[in-house]
Amino acid sequence: MRGVHVATSGMTGMRAAGDLVARVEFAKSMKIGDAKAYVAKKLGVDVMDLADENAMKEVREELGLGTMTEFRETPKGIAAKMNIEKVLDLKINSCELFRSLAGFI
Amino acid sequence: MATEYMTRMGDGRRVFMTREDILADIEAGVAEGADSAEVPALSEEEIEHLLEIVCAKERIVTVEPGNEIVMSQDGGAISIDSEHTSGVPSGRILATLMYERGFCMDSIDFGHTDYSFKPVKPLISVECQQMRWVQEAVTVPVLYGAMPNMGLYYTPDGPYENPGDLMKAFKIQEARESIEKSADHLTRDIIWIVQKMMKSGGADGINFDTTGAAGDGDFFAALRAVEFLRKEFPEMYIEMGMAGESMLGIHGELEYKGKAVAGLWPHKQVELAAEAGANVFGPAVNTNTTRSFAWNLARAVTIVKEASKVSPIPVHVNMGNGVGGVPMFELPTLDALSRANKAMVELAHVDGI
Amino acid sequence: MTKDELFSELSNAVISCKKDKVLEAVEKARRELDPSEIIDKGLAAGMNEVGILFEKGRLFLPHVMMAADAMTAGVKLLEDDLPAGAVKGKLGTIVNGTVEGDVHDIGKSIVSTMLQSAGFEVHDVGRDVPVQVFIDKIREVDADMVGLSALMTTTLLGQKEVITCLKEEGIRDRVKVMVGGSPATQAWADKIGADCYAENASEAVMKAKELLCGA
């Protein structure tokens, strides 16, 4: 069922930039058009690129935003989210908790 | 003989209908939705567009590139491994990773198998520890998901007398008092659980799923919790998904910020959700199993479109088994699911599903 | 006033949920109309509308109860006018509950309330109800119908179990079975041999009347 939703209209999560747009919708209460424009501007890409796996792969790898495939030595999880914080200019609660537990703050 | 198109009934059965019959059902569904929710009907152009979507020859339809939206999965982590659905013995953490890297979701909710707030209270330390694991491994936003489910606060499950029993005995005032006490208790429990989950679990936020399932008191309790939590955690993500299309008035006189809660339809529910501090609103429009897919989808799109239009926050429409125009069937058929999805994006202008 | 206007006044009085309005309308109507007409085409029609307005979120559960209370008072007022032996009693006796394993209560309670408001004698046996409790209650109250609610796909099978047990006990033929709850459908009702499926509470009242009163 999820597969059909994704195939019909999904941004495909980490395959492209769906998770980043979702994060901005949540963090800034922005509707889809504004959220896409915000992310595209921060990443320096076109809005059309955001659901395009081919366009986003290099961007995610270069900026360390997390990738779908494991064999690339790119950050994932908490490490990727720390990069997402910087790139999208927002705070992520799990990163704050991690820094607090690690004694960084 | 007129060409017939393969389509569905609201219970998922395959039927063949002429274009004229489908159009008639769309028009009737639009009219019913507009009348029930007291919202504007779809225009002739929109009805024509919907007709094209329903009558498409392809098994699956899609939006145009560039018009994609966000997929926020609710019930995500438990819908893989729980006995309620697929029963794959994966565990919740593995299921969450599967949603991220296998199913390509844009955000996921992670919850307890029971999926209600109340039973989580004694297990909160376990839930926080599991959420920390998830947050270290997963990149996409992960919200803790739970249902307010105020029914658990009434006898025999909870300490307050069942308002249903009191109503049947014509004890209306006593029933209302019981609802108010339960709502107070539920608000306290939600706040306590979420405080722990944000501070110790590191969750991105909370997904309030099937809000209002126990009527206006349930919605009222959740709104007050959202308001409190928004003040304490200004940056947390709060998604408020609804249980049904019209807010059942079990109490009937509860007000939130001076507005009556009972009887609200999605375009009014979202105003309160946003005012309380939710970031994302999830309207639910119920499917009538005895009407056609075309009728149900037209009705759902009419109702959700207005919610989306007036909403100051993103709208992620509920589109699973029996909601959002999707037929009520354990395995929603792909043709109907895809058509309903496309219609919600292109006609109701939702921000996510 | 025409007959239709009087029916409309009676119906509107019930929809207003005010007992004094209903009593006033009944007093006025009884001078012109047959008491059974007042009940069927005026008061009961109003109560049906109350159910529909509840489903649409225009009226709330307390209103339904107030309307039912007002209607009962109106019917009581007419009892002396009805011919001997024609005093309308209950429409039928119904046992209603949510099947074992399912703790959902609210929807089932609303159905019980609406059935009771419509004039049925309702025995709500609660939620998470073992099969034997349904059977025992049906026997105890000599029920005409049993309502089986289930809110989860995993608990739907409980409805079938009750029907099987009714057959085993030899009482299936004298008890109508109604099923409901979000995952239930007409196809499911047909498959398990239920007598009817109701989409919502007002439809439950309508179907119960059809099956038990031939209305």
Side-chain angles (χ1 to χ4, degrees):
Chain A
M1 188 168 96
R2 284 90 190 173
V4 175
H5 274 314
V6 172
T8 301
S9 67
M11 296 199 69
T12 73
M14 275 211 304
R15 282 171 66 89
D19 61 317
L20 306 180
V21 174
R23 207 171 269 290
V24 170
E25 278 198 5
F26 279 117
K28 299 187 178 291
S29 301
M30 280 184 183
K31 292 202 167 198
I32 186 76
D34 292 338
K36 281 182 175 179
Y38 180 93
V39 174
K41 189 176 175 192
K42 291 288 182 188
L43 298 183
V45 301
D46 196 83
V47 168
M48 275 294 286
D49 294 335
L50 295 174
D52 182 335
E53 297 89 334
N54 185 274
M56 288 310 303
K57 183 169 175 290
E58 292 293 322
V59 177
R60 291 199 82 114
E61 281 181 7
E62 280 172 22
L63 296 173
L65 306 181
T67 54
M68 221 50 161
T69 44
E70 274 294 346
F71 59 85
R72 306 272 175 204
E73 289 181 359
T74 53
K76 281 192 177 59
I78 204 83
K81 285 189 279 194
M82 287 188 178
N83 291 330
I84 291 170
E85 279 186 314
K86 283 180 252 168
V87 170
L88 295 185
D89 189 24
L90 44 80
K91 283 268 182 289
I92 295 177
N93 191 42
S94 56
C95 299
E96 290 277 285
L97 180 65
F98 186 83
R99 283 189 286 266
S100 164
L101 292 171
F104 296 151
I105 53 172
Chain B
M1 191 178 155
T3 306
E4 290 194 324
Y5 296 83
M6 190 201 88
T7 182
R8 301 278 170 182
M9 290 300 291
D11 63 0
R13 272 179 299 130
R14 190 174 61 219
V15 289
F16 289 86
M17 294 171 69
T18 64
R19 194 178 171 89
E20 289 68 33
D21 287 345
I22 292 172
L23 176 61
D25 270 11
I26 289 175
E27 287 172 340
V30 167
E32 210 289 329
D35 176 58
S36 288
E38 296 180 303
V39 296
L42 298 184
S43 68
E44 277 185 31
E45 292 75 26
E46 288 169 324
I47 287 175
E48 185 62 30
H49 188 152
L50 189 52
L51 181 64
E52 293 303 325
I53 292 172
V54 175
C55 292
K57 286 286 187 191
E58 295 78 14
R59 182 172 180 235
I60 290 174
V61 297
T62 71
V63 302
E64 287 180 21
N67 290 342
E68 299 89 353
I69 58 166
V70 162
M71 297 290 139
S72 55
Q73 171 67 33
D74 62 12
I78 56 172
S79 65
I80 289 286
D81 72 331
S82 106
E83 66 281 6
H84 286 267
T85 48
S86 57
V88 176
S90 65
R92 287 185 288 166
I93 295 174
L94 182 55
T96 307
L97 282 163
M98 287 159 72
Y99 269 109
E100 177 183 68
R101 297 180 202 179
F103 302 131
C104 313
M105 300 309 297
D106 301 315
S107 83
I108 304 164
D109 96 357
F110 181 89
H112 179 261
T113 301
D114 185 275
Y115 207 43
S116 299
F117 276 104
K118 191 182 170 197
V120 169
K121 204 170 178 184
L123 304 169
I124 189 65
S125 58
V126 176
E127 293 302 279
C128 287
Q129 178 250 323
Q130 296 275 299
M131 177 59 87
R132 279 199 301 275
W133 269 102
V134 167
Q135 289 292 347
E136 288 188 17
V138 175
T139 307
V140 309
V142 181
L143 288 75
Y144 190 76
M147 305 184 291
N149 199 1
M150 204 166 83
L152 292 182
Y153 291 81
Y154 302 143
T155 49
D157 300 301
Y160 306 106
E161 207 165 344
N162 196 314
D165 295 340
L166 291 166
M167 286 281 180
K168 285 194 283 282
F170 292 97
K171 293 179 179 175
I172 293 171
Q173 194 49 39
E174 289 90 332
R176 283 181 166 147
E177 282 167 13
S178 184
I179 292 168
E180 288 162 21
K181 284 177 189 162
S182 302
D184 287 344
H185 200 149
L186 173 58
T187 302
R188 283 201 307 275
D189 280 357
I190 292 173
I191 290 170
W192 189 87
I193 289 162
V194 176
Q195 284 172 329
K196 304 279 183 204
M197 188 49 70
M198 292 303 291
K199 290 175 184 169
S200 304
D204 282 299
I206 301 296
N207 176 32
F208 290 84
D209 203 353
T210 67
T211 306
D216 47 353
D218 190 297
F219 188 30
F220 176 72
L223 286 167
R224 286 190 311 188
V226 169
E227 182 182 346
F228 184 95
L229 292 164
R230 173 54 67 214
K231 284 180 190 147
E232 184 167 353
F233 303 102
E235 292 173 302
M236 79 180 283
Y237 307 169
I238 302 178
E239 180 161 10
M240 191 170 232
M242 305 309 292
E245 55 193 35
S246 163
M247 185 53 59
L248 280 178
I250 308 294
H251 184 291
E253 290 185 348
L254 290 170
E255 289 187 357
Y256 179 72
K257 292 189 183 288
K259 290 171 192 157
V261 175
L264 297 182
W265 285 73
H267 64 293
K268 294 291 180 189
Q269 295 163 8
V270 68
E271 288 176 359
L272 294 190
E275 205 171 332
N279 294 113
V280 169
F281 177 71
V285 179
N286 309 102
T287 294
N288 184 322
T289 61
T290 60
R291 307 303 292 258
S292 70
F293 167 64
W295 185 92
N296 277 297
L297 182 58
R299 182 175 182 276
V301 166
T302 304
I303 294 169
V304 174
K305 184 192 165 201
E306 184 64 10
S308 190
K309 184 180 161 195
V310 304
S311 176
I313 56 176
V315 168
H316 289 195
V317 61
N318 277 288
M319 295 198 74
N321 181 6
V323 281
V326 177
M328 170 62 75
F329 185 59
E330 207 173 304
L331 304 170
T333 60
L334 306 188
D335 48 288
L337 202 60
S338 172
R339 281 160 179 73
N341 178 316
K342 180 177 166 75
M344 282 294 175
V345 178
E346 295 180 348
L347 292 163
H349 309 295
V350 297
D351 306 278
I353 289 175
Chain C
M1 269 182 129
T2 65
K3 265 188 161 189
D4 283 345
E5 283 169 340
L6 286 168
F7 290 141
S8 174
E9 191 170 284
L10 288 160
S11 173
N12 288 335
V14 174
I15 295 167
S16 79
C17 312
K18 290 181 178 148
K19 199 186 282 186
D20 56 345
K21 267 195 163 185
V22 170
L23 293 175
E24 195 180 309
V26 170
E27 278 295 0
K28 192 167 159 188
R30 69 196 296 194
R31 289 178 227 135
E32 312 278 336
L33 302 172
D34 183 70
S36 60
E37 273 189 323
I38 293 177
I39 295 170
D40 293 337
K41 295 182 182 172
L43 302 178
M47 204 60 220
N48 283 345
E49 186 62 20
V50 166
I52 291 165
L53 290 169
F54 173 72
E55 302 286 353
K56 288 190 169 187
R58 310 276 203 276
L59 289 179
F60 311 130
L61 202 55
H63 300 130
V64 176
M65 297 315 301
M66 286 188 267
D69 191 32
M71 176 171 162
T72 306
V75 172
K76 202 167 174 54
L77 198 63
L78 292 166
E79 278 179 2
D80 293 341
D81 299 353
L82 287 161
V87 175
K88 288 217 166 190
K90 65 190 181 194
L91 299 179
T93 302
I94 302 175
V95 170
N96 196 36
T98 308
V99 297
E100 187 162 25
D102 196 323
V103 297
H104 290 89
D105 194 53
I106 308 286
K108 177 271 303 164
S109 283
I110 291 170
V111 170
S112 290
T113 305
M114 299 283 275
L115 287 168
Q116 181 184 312
S117 306
F120 291 95
E121 179 183 315
V122 181
H123 296 268
D124 189 327
V125 284
R127 73 322 163 255
D128 189 20
V129 180
V131 175
Q132 197 56 44
V133 172
F134 278 109
I135 304 295
D136 292 347
K137 197 61 166 179
I138 289 165
R139 284 190 192 283
E140 180 195 327
V141 302
D142 194 19
D144 304 299
M145 175 181 265
V146 60
L148 304 171
S149 176
L151 263 291
M152 300 190 292
T153 49
T154 48
T155 55
L156 263 184
L157 281 172
Q159 297 178 335
K160 189 181 173 188
E161 284 169 19
V162 176
I163 292 174
T164 304
C165 197
L166 285 169
K167 286 178 187 164
E168 286 169 1
E169 297 275 331
I171 55 174
R172 175 66 185 92
D173 292 343
R174 62 180 175 91
V175 182
K176 301 289 183 194
V177 177
M178 178 192 286
V179 295
S182 57
T185 62
Q186 184 60 53
W188 169 250
D190 295 342
K191 186 178 173 185
I192 63 173
D195 295 293
C196 73
Y197 155 74
E199 187 88 18
N200 51 43
S202 51
E203 200 173 292
V205 172
M206 195 181 75
K207 296 262 175 98
K209 281 183 177 174
E210 279 172 14
L211 279 171
L212 301 186
C213 319

